Amino acid sequence: MTTITRTAPAENHFRGGIDVRVSLRDGAGDGNSAFDGAWFPRSRDLEVELPELIAELDRRGVRIERFTYSLEAWQPAARKLVLRDRVVRTGGFRSMDPLVVCLTWGGGSRRADLLVVPPETDVLTGARALRLCTRRGLPRSPQMVLAAARSTPLPQVPQVHRRAV
C-alpha cells in the first residue's frame, strides 16, 4: 500500500518536523499512468520545499537525480541542490504545466510526473488529491483530477415521513 504522508525527523533540519505531503503510487515511473502521485507543498518556495520532498522520496527508495518544474508556478530555485552526499539538478521551464513537476532517477531511465496540489488548496481537497493520484486510469488533465478531489457527494438527508392525522 502507498504511504501518503510522514513526519520528517527534526534532526534532518526540516521545518520543525512538519510532514511532507506526498503520495507515490506503486510502480511509479513505469509510464503506465497519467500521474505517479501528487505533492501538496506548503509554499511555492522550492528552496524550502524541495529538500524535504527529496528526503522523503529517498526514504521511500526513490533517489531523485533531476527535478523539473514550471517557472510560472514557483519561485526560482538553484540549478543544483546539494543534499547530503549528492547533487540534484533542477530545471525550470515556461512550457511545463504549472500543476505538474517531473522527477527523474535511475540514471534517467525512470521518470515520474507528480500532480502539484496548489499550496493554497484546503486540506481536505489536498488529501483527496493525494489519494486519487495513486490510482491508475486518471485523466491526463491536472485540472480534472483537482476538480474530482474537490467534488464531494451531497450529504444524504433522511426523509422524515409524517403520518396524516
Side-chain angles (χ1 to χ4, degrees):
M1 190 65 186
T2 303
T3 303
I4 292 178
T5 61
R6 87 161 190 85
T7 302
E11 68 268 11
N12 286 344
H13 305 290
F14 296 132
R15 293 174 294 179
I18 294 174
D19 64 323
V20 178
R21 301 180 297 187
V22 64
S23 65
L24 199 62
R25 70 173 178 76
D26 294 332
D30 61 11
N32 291 330
S33 185
F35 298 102
D36 295 287
W39 179 36
F40 187 11
R42 287 182 167 73
S43 74
R44 294 188 183 278
D45 185 351
L46 286 177
E47 300 284 334
V48 172
E49 301 294 337
L50 196 51
E52 292 178 350
L53 174 65
I54 290 171
E56 173 59 15
L57 293 172
D58 271 355
R59 189 187 71 75
R60 297 181 190 196
V62 179
R63 194 170 164 87
I64 301 302
E65 297 161 0
R66 182 159 172 78
F67 176 90
T68 56
Y69 62 95
S70 167
L71 285 170
E72 306 298 321
W74 298 93
Q75 295 173 7
R79 300 278 298 155
K80 293 180 182 179
L81 292 175
V82 178
L83 301 169
R84 295 192 183 150
D85 60 340
R86 67 195 170 100
V87 173
V88 175
R89 294 177 297 137
T90 68
F93 299 92
R94 295 201 189 289
S95 59
M96 283 189 70
D97 188 313
L99 295 174
V100 177
V101 294
C102 180
L103 315 170
T104 308
W105 70 98
S109 65
R110 303 289 300 266
R111 171 194 160 138
D113 289 332
L114 297 184
L115 172 86
V116 176
V117 180
E120 58 277 4
T121 303
D122 68 273
V123 175
L124 183 58
T125 300
R128 286 182 185 142
L130 289 170
R131 273 194 316 273
L132 272 173
C133 284
T134 61
R135 299 179 185 165
R136 294 182 190 270
L138 289 174
R140 294 201 89 66
S141 164
Q143 293 81 2
M144 289 178 73
V145 175
L146 288 172
R150 275 188 213 98
S151 67
T152 58
L154 293 173
Q156 299 300 311
V157 179
Q159 296 285 333
V160 178
H161 297 285
R162 296 189 181 179
R163 286 192 234 178
V165 203

